[in-house]
Amino acid sequence: MVLSLRRVLIIPYVALVVLLAATIGWLSYSTGRDAVTAILEQQLLETSARIRFAVDSRVVDASAALEVAFPKGTAAPESLRTALDELRTRFWIAVSLNTDSNDYVYYGNRSGQFVGVWQTSQDDAELRVRLKESEETVYHVKGVRRDAQSVRRDRSRYDPRERPWYIAAEAAADRDDSWTPVYSNFSSHELVVTHARRVHDAGGQFGGVVGVDISLRALNDFVRRLHLSRRGIAFIMEPDGGLIASSTGPYVTKQADGSVGRLNAAASGNPLIEHLFAEVSATISSSERTRLPQARVFENPDGEPVFAAFDRIEDDAGLDWIVVVAAPRGDFMDKVRGNVMGTVVAALAAAGLAVLIGLAIIDWVAQDLRRLSDAARKVGDGEFGWSVGIDRRDEIGALARSFEAMQERLRTDRLTGLANREALVRRIDGEILRRSHDKSLRPFGLLFVDLDRFKQVNDGYGHDAGDRMLIETGRRLEAITRPSDLVARQAGDEFVVFVDDGTDEHALRSLASRIEQALSEPMELPGGRFVACGASIGLAVFPEDGCDRASLLEKADQQMYRCKFEGRA
């Protein structure tokens, strides 16, 4: 067959177009897949960290409530009858610390006597008292110092010595604090886990148990509100698979007798949960030195890659929970495949106009895609302080701006515009690392700032007023500190100030005094109201008060709580 010049030119051209389209498609898919992998792993790890923080906050709140209810070293009263007023006051304060995490503090002794305060609202509570066998009196109380009004007298078989929280604490003779297995609450019949503490009498003998409940329903509600992806899933379980919370499907089941029981991850009826339970259990049990948290890639029963992040929450009181967050990669690859097809079609159309221009455009696109791939990899490594370096007005430019906006969101508190907890953590860890390499650098300090009456403002005037107070607090903190310092919002109404080189305890206390003065000035709320909030401040100096971030924050946090409670006293 005789080939015409037109045909000779068309065949190589078509071959070149097909090759270019295939190359662009492969580059787009590969780059998009790498970006999805990096971002997905980061998102799962962050979600796992959010769940851990939610659990940790409840654990900390429970510990704080126990410490207020029965401070360490306080002897168990010989009889609840004579100590009832004092216990009622302490228990009221304990449940008032954080009603989102715990609303019930109670105590039972060896004689079977029982007292508990269950807060039903900010100003109302039930005082439950059992001073003699088979008789429990429930009082309605308003405020810590007001008279209690008896609302009913129950003759029941309730005996605190037979409840799981008492039995667990009594059996844990080697430690004062312990966590119960999950069980059904006597009154509400909801599933709870209790942080219990042994209380000793004046002679040092076991005298009773004080306990605070953590509701599994509250944890489950938090996990269900997390948005991952179309088929993404998050759950908390015990090492044996007993579900604590799940973002999809039930975590409890009704028993034949009407009581509430728990599902096990291994038999939950959800194939992905069952598969993840087997994979995560094998990973954790394969080595006692498994680094957690970590992200892994598994295959679901259909052979599809599933990205998963998991962490283990443990404490000295025996708490041992596992957090699992996972999402199939296909949930995120659909858009990548669509973008690849669009790129191929655009390449075919552009190549029809001019091969040379098309090649130039392809090179331009590929270069920026490589930058986006590098950007995605850095996000996956936790590096947020950089610029993508792409200035375009097309979809790639929008994606680049999305990356940069994502960096800003990852290190900035959305409400106040201050640094968030992640940015604070990286600053502290970075400064500790610098000083470990350069001993000539001077110490730094931390101030843990907690607003004193924020909850009353938030509840009394609304969330808009609370938000206005948080924003104004951040503005005043930044006005007082130096440009080299860092003001971060830790969580809720808690702020942390990182004070840079040249800091000692005297300088920190001076700065803390100025902050207390600034925050004691009235703040304007919506509607023209002015409210003075005030703050409690704790401080820590590196390396005198600790050589790692956790120790420093714990020291500052403890000082802050002492300051707060001394102020209340």
Side-chain angles (χ1 to χ4, degrees):
M1 181 179 61
V2 179
L3 297 177
S4 65
L5 181 59
R6 179 185 296 271
R7 186 171 298 176
V8 170
L9 292 177
I10 288 177
I11 292 176
Y13 175 80
V14 172
L16 179 61
V17 168
V18 172
L19 178 62
L20 287 174
T23 302
I24 293 174
W26 181 84
L27 285 175
S28 299
Y29 183 83
S30 177
T31 304
R33 182 186 59 197
D34 293 343
V36 165
T37 299
I39 295 174
L40 181 54
E41 288 183 355
Q42 181 68 20
Q43 179 182 348
L44 293 178
L45 286 171
E46 288 179 359
T47 304
S48 172
R50 286 181 62 190
I51 296 175
R52 181 186 183 95
F53 180 78
V55 174
D56 285 343
S57 65
R58 286 164 170 78
V59 170
V60 170
D61 290 342
S63 299
L66 288 181
E67 186 61 25
V68 173
F70 257 100
K72 289 185 177 179
T74 301
E78 295 183 1
S79 172
L80 293 187
R81 190 179 301 276
T82 58
L84 188 59
D85 288 341
E86 180 185 357
L87 291 176
R88 168 190 167 183
T89 300
R90 293 208 307 258
F91 285 15
W92 177 278
I93 296 173
V95 296
S96 301
L97 290 177
N98 193 330
T99 56
D100 292 336
S101 297
N102 57 76
D103 54 15
Y104 193 19
V105 176
Y106 45 86
Y107 169 75
N109 63 16
R110 292 180 302 176
S111 302
Q113 294 178 321
F114 174 86
V115 59
V117 172
W118 177 39
Q119 190 171 29
T120 55
S121 68
Q122 183 178 357
D123 299 318
D124 297 276
E126 284 189 359
L127 175 65
R128 300 174 176 180
V129 181
R130 181 182 190 266
L131 299 179
K132 57 184 179 179
E133 188 174 354
S134 299
E135 185 173 297
E136 179 183 15
T137 304
V138 180
Y139 300 91
H140 178 224
V141 295
K142 295 181 69 67
V144 65
R145 299 186 182 279
R146 299 187 183 180
D147 294 336
Q149 177 183 1
S150 176
V151 293
R152 68 176 184 271
R153 185 180 298 272
D154 297 333
R155 292 188 177 276
S156 64
R157 294 175 297 170
Y158 182 84
D159 189 333
R161 296 167 297 185
E162 299 174 355
R163 298 302 295 156
W165 51 272
Y166 191 99
I167 296 171
E170 186 178 27
D174 56 335
R175 61 175 183 265
D176 287 340
D177 285 38
S178 60
W179 288 93
T180 66
V182 175
Y183 68 97
S184 177
N185 180 275
F186 185 85
S187 300
S188 65
H189 303 293
E190 290 187 2
L191 292 182
V192 297
V193 61
T194 300
H195 190 173
R197 174 177 293 174
R198 294 165 60 94
V199 179
H200 303 282
D201 59 21
Q205 300 300 314
F206 173 73
V209 179
V210 60
V212 175
D213 293 343
I214 292 181
S215 169
L216 265 61
R217 181 166 62 89
L219 273 179
N220 190 69
D221 291 343
F222 171 82
V223 173
R224 289 182 69 89
R225 288 194 297 268
L226 298 174
H227 177 70
L228 296 171
S229 69
R230 177 168 53 91
R231 294 176 294 168
I233 193 168
F235 59 94
I236 308 173
M237 67 177 182
E238 294 178 302
D240 63 0
L243 286 176
I244 303 295
S246 174
S247 65
T248 178
Y251 73 103
V252 298
T253 180
K254 289 287 187 180
Q255 306 293 339
D257 59 358
S259 62
V260 179
R262 282 192 301 157
L263 289 175
N264 191 282
S268 63
N270 186 309
L272 184 55
I273 290 182
E274 294 175 2
H275 186 72
L276 287 169
F277 167 67
E279 295 285 358
V280 172
S281 297
T283 301
I284 291 179
S285 61
S286 63
S287 172
E288 295 182 356
R289 297 183 179 181
T290 301
R291 289 187 60 188
L292 296 175
Q294 66 168 261
R296 295 283 300 276
V297 180
F298 304 111
E299 287 189 354
N300 65 14
D302 297 330
E304 181 183 10
V306 175
F307 285 82
F310 51 94
D311 198 358
R312 194 165 192 165
I313 305 174
E314 299 176 283
D315 69 0
D316 294 337
L319 186 70
D320 189 3
W321 290 354
I322 298 171
V323 177
V324 183
V325 184
R329 189 173 64 181
D331 287 3
F332 298 83
M333 290 300 294
D334 292 340
K335 291 185 179 180
V336 174
R337 296 188 185 97
N339 290 338
V340 170
M341 292 301 299
T343 304
V344 171
V345 172
L348 291 171
L353 297 176
V355 174
L356 293 178
I357 296 177
L359 289 174
I361 292 175
I362 290 170
D363 181 69
W364 181 44
V365 170
Q367 182 180 7
D368 286 341
L369 287 175
R370 284 192 293 271
R371 289 181 179 177
L372 284 174
S373 179
D374 292 338
R377 185 170 57 254
K378 289 180 179 179
V379 170
D381 293 337
E383 300 178 22
F384 307 134
W386 44 267
S387 174
V388 176
I390 296 178
D391 185 14
R392 297 170 57 144
R393 299 300 178 185
D394 56 7
E395 291 82 359
I396 295 178
L399 182 58
R401 290 189 291 275
S402 297
F403 269 105
E404 293 177 342
M406 180 178 63
Q407 296 176 70
E408 187 66 22
R409 288 195 298 270
L410 288 174
R411 65 171 181 255
T412 304
D413 177 63
R414 187 170 297 178
L415 174 64
T416 63
L418 301 174
N420 62 12
R421 186 177 184 276
E422 177 68 18
L424 174 68
V425 166
R426 295 194 175 278
R427 178 68 183 273
I428 296 174
D429 290 346
E431 293 296 337
I432 291 175
L433 184 61
R434 284 181 57 208
R435 282 159 176 78
S436 67
H437 292 147
D438 187 355
K439 302 300 183 182
S440 64
L441 294 177
R442 303 183 67 185
F444 65 83
L446 297 178
L447 294 178
F448 200 108
V449 182
D450 184 86
L451 300 182
D452 287 337
R453 287 175 290 280
F454 175 77
K455 188 176 187 302
Q456 292 89 326
V457 171
N458 209 34
D459 293 344
Y461 297 102
H463 292 290
D464 288 343
D467 291 347
R468 178 76 65 85
M469 180 165 286
L470 293 174
I471 294 171
E472 176 63 16
T473 298
R475 188 192 67 78
R476 294 186 183 185
L477 289 175
E478 285 194 317
I480 294 175
T481 55
R482 304 169 299 179
S484 60
D485 301 332
L486 177 70
V487 179
R489 184 184 177 197
Q490 171 86 346
D493 60 338
E494 296 177 346
F495 298 80
V496 175
V497 180
F498 175 93
V499 187
D500 205 359
D501 296 348
T503 299
D504 56 25
E505 186 171 348
H506 176 74
L508 278 180
R509 293 195 181 278
S510 176
L511 177 59
S513 297
R514 297 202 305 274
I515 291 175
E516 287 179 349
Q517 177 64 31
L519 297 184
S520 66
E521 297 294 330
M523 300 181 185
E524 184 177 5
L525 303 181
R529 295 182 293 267
F530 287 82
V531 174
C533 185
S536 299
I537 302 176
L539 58 88
V541 180
F542 173 88
E544 298 175 12
D545 297 324
C547 296
D548 59 84
R549 167 172 43 86
S551 299
L552 293 170
L553 288 174
E554 182 180 7
K555 176 65 179 298
D557 186 38
Q558 290 175 350
Q559 279 202 14
M560 181 275 293
Y561 271 108
R562 285 197 296 269
C563 176
K564 184 177 290 290
F565 293 144
E566 289 171 0
R568 290 181 179 179

